[in-house]
Each structure stands twice: as C-alpha cells, then as structure tokens.
Amino acid sequence: MTTPPPSLVLDANAAPEVPFPIPGATPGGVTARLLNTDAARGLVTTIIAIAPGARIPAHFHRDGAEAHYVLEGDFINAGVTHGPGGFVTHPAG
C-alpha cells in the first residue's frame, strides 16, 4: 500500500497577479496568479483573470491538456457560455 502525498494548501491571494500576454489576446485583458508548477510532469496551476469583454483567440497546446473551472463571471468557449461552477477541458493539440 502506498502512502498518499501530503495535502497541498495554497493561499491564492499570496501569489502576485501579473500580466499574462497571449498572442492575439486583448492587450492588458488577461492576468494570472501562478500557484504551482511541476516541470517534470508538465503541469501548471494558475488562476487566470480575463477582464470583462477581453478575448483570447482560439489556439492549441501541443504538449498538454487544459482544464478551466469558472470561479465568477462567464467564460464563453466555442459559443457556449459557462458560468460560475462551469468546467471546461481541452485535450492536448
């Protein structure tokens, strides 16, 4: 029987909010709080804030999947609106 890893508790507010430039996105419309990275496994955990009306163009991630959990506001993806509590995933590529 293996021992589970210890729980990780993070204070998201302690992570600085920084500009998160994405090619083609609304200038200044996206910021991020970097919470955790695991370079060996290619995992990154962030809180992304998208300003009202800001847009991120369609794009893909060659090396890894994406998962989005909506905390507040609306996230519109491929014409479908996801409100608070919504969860959207995209496979690699």
Side-chain angles (χ1 to χ4, degrees):
M1 183 177 232
T2 61
T3 304
S7 295
L8 178 63
V9 178
L10 298 170
D11 178 0
N13 293 319
E17 188 170 12
V18 297
F20 193 69
I22 297 173
T26 303
V30 183
T31 59
R33 292 178 188 271
L34 182 61
L35 304 181
N36 183 45
T37 61
D38 184 337
R41 295 186 343 182
L43 299 174
V44 177
T45 304
T46 58
I47 294 178
I48 304 292
I50 303 170
R55 301 176 67 86
I56 298 173
H59 61 282
F60 68 94
H61 294 260
R62 192 177 323 262
D63 298 326
E66 280 189 329
H68 307 280
Y69 181 78
V70 181
L71 297 174
E72 63 182 66
D74 290 324
F75 175 64
I76 302 169
N77 184 75
V80 178
T81 300
H82 305 273
F87 186 72
V88 181
T89 62
H90 300 283

